[in-house]
Amino acid sequence: MAMWWVTTIGFVICLGMAGGIFVHFIRQALNTEDAVKIDQINPDEKV
């Protein structure tokens, strides 16, 4: 019985690490600060 708990906890930890790595790289790829740095809005410019 204890072996199932160890296996389950280990599996959850592995899923958490994989999910964390996935979210980290997705957030890095979709960095919204880059758009602000590249396409700066000039407040004096009239559209």
Side-chain angles (χ1 to χ4, degrees), residues 4-44:
W4 284 108
W5 282 109
V6 172
T7 304
T8 303
I9 291 170
F11 183 66
V12 169
I13 290 172
C14 287
L15 282 179
M17 289 174 59
I21 291 169
F22 178 74
V23 169
H24 169 75
F25 284 110
I26 291 294
R27 289 189 67 193
Q28 192 174 19
L30 301 175
N31 190 2
T32 56
E33 294 178 6
D34 285 345
V36 176
K37 291 179 191 173
I38 295 170
D39 300 326
Q40 293 182 349
I41 297 173
N42 189 356
D44 298 331

